[in-house]
Amino acid sequence: ATFNLLKKANTTAVFQLESKGMKDMLKQAKPDCFEDIIALVALYRPGPMDLIPDYCRRKHGLQRVEYPHPSTEPILQETYGIAVYQEQVMQIAQVVAGYSLGAADLLRRAMGKKKPEEMVKQREVFNTGAQKNGLTLQQSNDLFDLLEKFAGYGFNKSHAAAYALVAYQTAYLKAHYPAAFLAATMSADMNNTDSVRIFFEDCAPNQIEVLPPNINQSEFRFKPLNDKQILYGLGAIKGTGAAAIDVIIKAREEDGPFKNLFDFCNRLDLRKVNRRVIESLI
């Protein structure tokens, strides 16, 4: 189940969470609810990354939470007054300037593309709606400028939530089932030596021992033997391949362990387990 979950997970998201920068951010933020993880996923990108220190300080009461306008408080409260998501830009346009959500989405797109002619039109519509709701022209222009800035880097919250769910699930698995998790992680990308090395090097700090490949015990994938040991997968050895490993495992299951190299060669179809495979295993 762990392996299947990781196969479905976005590879980029998994590696982001393994990066030092992301780990440092999480230590600084100390997330204590799922919404925090969603926000941190959205913030950990070029542009909004500059707001991470403000987000962390506001979360821990070290910096005053300020809102661009009182009417935006219910929308920005969960992110401590910082517009993080595209949906927040749309909601602010809806509440402050009377946009429909459909029109607000068109505003968000226009802000993202930064087309001057379209922005002039949208500013007029926004100012008209905002003034009807009690804002001065100066307040309206200031808020529009702020939204334009946020829209340039805002992340889709539903998208961030999907990444955050995978992050939460995999963090739980790593914390409670480290051997199974790390074995599954290495198996999920074992054709990529660099990826395997990253997770292999993460085993020792987690008190997990990776045993060398064993022709009579190893399977195609990395295999957790217990809570503290992983058996190296034969499929991660360069020059082997799934078809050859399947033949080897099937022969081992039918007639027992291989006694020596001669017994190994004698019992296998050498058209499928050829010289290149044997030399790679040696």
Side-chain angles (χ1 to χ4, degrees), residues 17-33:
L17 288 172
E18 284 296 322
S19 73
K20 185 178 184 301
M22 177 66 91
K23 288 180 178 179
D24 289 344
M25 178 192 68
L26 290 168
K27 289 175 184 176
Q28 182 185 359
K30 296 181 176 63
D32 52 19
C33 61

Side-chain angles (χ1 to χ4, degrees), residues 94-197:
Q94 182 189 29
V95 169
V96 173
Y99 277 67
S100 68
L101 282 177
D105 190 41
L106 293 176
L107 170 66
R108 176 195 61 78
R109 290 188 210 174
M111 286 178 166
K113 292 179 180 177
K114 302 186 186 303
K115 291 184 177 178
E117 315 83 31
E118 183 64 25
M119 291 308 298
V120 170
K121 294 177 185 176
Q122 289 289 353
R123 185 181 290 272
E124 289 177 1
V125 174
F126 187 90
N127 285 342
T128 300
Q131 287 175 281
K132 285 181 181 177
N133 287 327
L135 274 72
T136 66
L137 181 60
Q138 182 64 49
Q139 288 176 319
S140 177
N141 275 317
D142 289 346
L143 186 54
F144 189 89
D145 291 339
L146 192 63
L147 291 182
E148 188 175 6
K149 177 186 173 185
F150 285 142
Y153 64 69
F155 200 63
N156 184 281
K157 184 178 181 180
S158 57
H159 200 164
Y163 284 126
L165 180 61
V166 173
Y168 183 83
Q169 290 171 326
T170 52
Y172 179 91
L173 291 170
K174 186 175 182 181
H176 296 280
Y177 307 97
F181 174 82
L182 287 164
T185 309
M186 288 189 284
S187 297
D189 206 15
M190 62 185 177
N191 291 327
N192 187 330
T193 305
D194 291 337
S195 297
V196 171
R197 179 179 58 80

Side-chain angles (χ1 to χ4, degrees), residues 251-277:
R252 193 175 72 197
E253 290 173 347
E254 290 177 351
D255 300 314
F258 300 108
K259 297 174 184 176
N260 50 48
L261 177 61
F262 298 101
D263 180 49
F264 177 85
C265 294
N266 189 48
R267 286 165 54 184
L268 298 175
D269 183 345
L270 297 182
R271 293 169 299 178
K272 296 179 179 178
V273 185
N274 57 31
R275 175 176 176 166
R276 182 176 65 88
V277 173

